[in-house]
């Protein structure tokens, strides 16, 4: 058995914060993005530490290790995580913290300095923040990056997945034969009573309107309370000092499963809009995430995505939407696993576009763009050069 296998490149210890399990390495960096939630939760519950290893194919993985390895393990430099820091309270220190906070942004999050500082400032000041932008642009990642950068308890709630908003946000009535009927508060009730907590409300635009109604008083700076029962005289739960709510939302007609959000609810948030990545930013991200994939192929992926985004915004658009960053990351993962660009596009890009209309369909147009980067130049009749040129020049 090799030393490479015995000696981990880094080790982490898992701590519970709110309803999340955070993994910190020996330098205090949070490594949640590298380790699955199941693995972190199991390590915490069973009380062991995790070590990172590199497999024979170059893949990184984490497994249980003995605590004795701490004596000889150093943290890997250049980790994507950032060390959580204590937020100052003096105004001069707060200003310095906000305007020097760009170093806290994970390298894998493509967000310009101004918007990152605005996001951090909103978090430090206890604002309700709503991350908006097209699907797959990094809204949830940015929200989680803010949480990971601040030394505060945090809670995560996916409101787009809940079937019973009242049970999720307030609680439920249960019955046990031994004790009879009793009320059980939700985790959300505990979360809002945690001072300085950061509470992530993911997919708010997909939430049931009942959830919005419950949140109205919670998010209102002049009220900040949650009513557990509509009956007169029932006690209310006050939102603790310093609690910050961070929501994500997809807004637009193309998101058919979302709801038009109430203006009164929107007004309770500070809006932080995520930008669609440029071709250069897309390439920078993909080369960072997939260093073992041919850079020229990743450049082609970035170019393809850029062409579709430009086309979708043109006055004579033949595409309803461009390829998202989430899709380019998935496609690059396929390239890493040995698929060709043509094969990867076949399963990850083409199904997103309508094939109605034959040669004039969205799918045909996207195929023509992709084939431009798959072909060796000896079969130019496979695609329409004029259409590709128009998309590039749009």
């Amino acid at each position: 058995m090799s030393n490479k296998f015995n000696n981990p490149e880094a080790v982490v210890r898992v701590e519970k914060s709110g309803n999340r399990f955070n993994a910190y390495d020996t330098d205090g960096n949070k490594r949640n993005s590298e380790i699955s939630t199941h693995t972190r939760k199991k390590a915490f519950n069973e009380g062991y530490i995790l070590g990172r290893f590199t497999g024979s194919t170059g893949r990184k993985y984490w497994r249980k290790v003995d605590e004795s390895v701490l004596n000889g393990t150093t943290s890997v430099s250049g980790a994507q995580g950032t060390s959580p820091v204590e937020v100052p309270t003096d105004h001069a220190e707060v200003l310095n913290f906000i305007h020097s906070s760009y170093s806290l942004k994970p390298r894998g999050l493509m967000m310009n300095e101004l918007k990152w500082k605005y996001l951090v400032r909103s978090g430090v000041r206890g604002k309700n923040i709503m991350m908006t932008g097209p699907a797959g642009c990094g809204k949830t990642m940015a929200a989680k990056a803010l949480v990971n950068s601040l030394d505060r308890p945090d809670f995560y709630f996916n409101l787009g997945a809940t079937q019973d908003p009242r049970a999720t946000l307030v609680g439920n009535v249960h019955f046990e034969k031994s004790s009879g009927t009793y009320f059980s508060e939700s985790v959300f009730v505990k979360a809002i009573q945690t001072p300085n907590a950061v509470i992530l409300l993911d997919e708010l635009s997909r939430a049931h309107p009942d959830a919005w109604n419950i949140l109205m008083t919670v998010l209102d700076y002049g009220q900040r309370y949650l009513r557990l029962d509509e009956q007169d005289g029932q006690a209310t739960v006050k939102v603790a000092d310093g609690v910050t709510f961070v929501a994500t939302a997809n807004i637009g007609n193309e998101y058919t499963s979302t709801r038009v959000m109430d203006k009164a609810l929107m007004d309770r948030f500070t809006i932080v809009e995520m930008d669609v990545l440029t071709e250069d930013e897309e390439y920078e991200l993909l080369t960072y995430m997939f260093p073992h994939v041919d850079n020229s192929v990743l450049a082609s992926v970035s170019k393809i995505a850029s062409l579709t985004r430009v086309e979708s915004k043109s006055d004579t658009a033949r595409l309803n939407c461009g390829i998202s960053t989430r899709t380019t990351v998935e496609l690059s993962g396929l390239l890493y696993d040995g698929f060709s660009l043509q094969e990867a596009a076949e399963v990850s890009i083409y199904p997103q576009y309508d094939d109605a209309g034959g040669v004039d369909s969205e799918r045909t147009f996207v195929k023509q763009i992709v084939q431009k980067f798959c072909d060796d130049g000896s079969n130019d009749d496979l695609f329409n050069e004029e259409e590709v040129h128009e998309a590039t020049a749009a």
Side-chain angles (χ1 to χ4, degrees), residues 214-225:
I214 294 170
L215 290 170
M216 282 292 190
T217 56
V218 175
L219 297 170
D220 192 310
Y221 293 117
Q223 300 182 69
R224 301 292 271 185
Y225 71 84

Side-chain angles (χ1 to χ4, degrees), residues 133-393:
C137 69
K139 296 183 295 295
T140 302
M141 183 180 182
K144 290 182 176 180
L146 173 66
V147 169
N148 292 340
S149 297
L150 304 178
D151 189 17
R152 293 181 173 178
D154 53 276
F155 299 83
Y156 175 86
F157 301 92
N158 189 324
L159 298 183
T162 181
Q163 301 297 314
D164 187 346
R166 188 161 192 83
T168 299
L169 298 175
V170 178
N172 227 331
V173 175
H174 301 277
F175 175 79
E176 287 185 359
K177 189 174 182 180
S178 59
S179 57
T181 301
Y182 65 96
F183 177 75
S184 176
E185 292 182 350
S186 68
V187 176
F188 183 77
V189 173
K190 298 178 176 64
I192 65 174
Q193 296 180 87
T194 305
N196 298 314
V198 181
I199 300 175
L200 178 55
L201 306 174
D202 208 5
E203 301 286 1
L204 184 62
S205 53
R206 290 180 177 272
H208 192 279
D210 286 351
W212 298 348
N213 292 334
I214 294 170
L215 290 170
M216 282 292 190
T217 56
V218 175
L219 297 170
D220 192 310
Y221 293 117
Q223 300 182 69
R224 301 292 271 185
Y225 71 84
L226 174 66
R227 186 178 294 279
L228 299 182
D229 196 292
E230 296 300 324
Q231 185 177 345
D232 291 340
Q234 289 294 314
T236 58
V237 177
K238 297 293 291 182
V239 177
D241 292 339
V243 172
T244 298
F245 294 92
V246 184
T248 66
N250 292 318
I251 300 174
N253 293 332
E254 66 268 35
Y255 303 109
T256 56
S257 293
T258 63
R259 296 176 170 88
V260 177
M261 295 187 66
D262 188 278
K263 179 63 175 176
L265 182 69
M266 293 283 289
D267 282 345
R268 284 162 165 77
F269 288 96
T270 294
I271 306 297
V272 179
E273 185 178 20
M274 293 292 292
D275 297 320
V276 176
L277 300 189
T278 65
E279 181 182 338
D280 289 342
E281 290 171 336
E282 195 88 22
Y283 176 71
E284 181 183 346
L285 174 64
L286 296 180
T287 52
Y288 167 70
M289 295 183 68
F290 301 95
H292 300 295
V293 177
D294 187 334
N295 285 358
S296 63
V297 180
L298 294 180
S300 295
V301 173
S302 303
K303 185 66 174 179
I304 291 168
S306 178
L307 289 172
T308 62
R309 293 166 189 170
V310 170
E311 174 62 29
S312 68
K313 297 296 183 182
S314 70
D315 293 336
T316 57
R318 280 163 289 185
L319 299 176
N320 285 325
C321 62
I323 297 171
S324 71
T325 296
R326 182 183 292 126
T327 297
T328 64
V329 170
E330 171 62 21
L331 188 149
S332 300
L334 292 170
L335 296 173
Y336 178 78
D337 288 334
F339 291 85
S340 68
L341 178 56
Q342 178 62 55
E343 292 169 335
E346 187 74 36
V347 295
S348 64
I349 295 179
Y350 300 159
Q352 299 183 31
Y353 293 95
D354 191 359
D355 62 354
V359 295
D360 295 323
S361 68
E362 286 189 337
R363 186 172 298 187
T364 298
F365 182 73
V366 172
K367 283 185 176 181
Q368 290 169 344
I369 294 176
V370 173
Q371 287 171 349
K372 173 70 175 178
F373 298 90
C374 296
D375 194 74
D376 61 4
S378 61
N379 196 15
D380 289 344
D381 59 346
L382 286 175
F383 51 85
N384 187 321
E385 288 280 5
E386 182 180 351
E387 289 188 339
V388 175
H389 176 73
E390 288 178 0
T392 308

